[in-house]
Amino acid sequence: MPRGTNTVRGSNTTIFVANTPAAVKVGSGFLHRIIITATLTGSITVNDNAAAAAGPLLFTSAAAPAVGTVIEVNVPFTLGAWLVPGTAGTCVAVYD
């Protein structure tokens, strides 16, 4: 990549509200990053599963990441990505 070139990966986003687990995507894909948009309590977890917090654990965040934090996750998934946000706050998943 030439110097001075920025590449932003991830063409899809999903907003997650605390205490409301859901699928980022069903089927195979790649989770690029998670952006914290409102004060988050607890940790974020992501499993390789299309419908539940079960199966292989792909990612666990530190507890209570600060607003504005961009977490580079960079993990592939095959069945789907199931995200469990913390107990308060909001985050955005960026994926393909």
Side-chain angles (χ1 to χ4, degrees), residues 16-21 38-45 64-65 84-91:
F16 290 87
V17 178
N19 223 14
T20 309
T39 301
L40 198 99
T41 302
S43 297
I44 300 167
T45 61
V84 179
T87 55
T90 308
C91 64

Side-chain angles (χ1 to χ4, degrees), residues 71-94:
I71 304 167
E72 295 295 332
V73 181
N74 295 319
V75 295
F77 49 89
T78 55
L79 301 175
W82 186 264
L83 188 143
V84 179
T87 55
T90 308
C91 64
V92 176
V94 180

Side-chain angles (χ1 to χ4, degrees), residues 50-62:
L57 182 64
L58 299 175
F59 171 77
T60 301
S61 75

Side-chain angles (χ1 to χ4, degrees), residues 29-56:
F30 197 91
L31 179 60
H32 295 280
R33 68 191 56 79
I34 297 171
I35 303 165
I36 310 305
T37 56
T39 301
L40 198 99
T41 302
S43 297
I44 300 167
T45 61
V46 181
N47 292 80
D48 192 345
N49 193 312

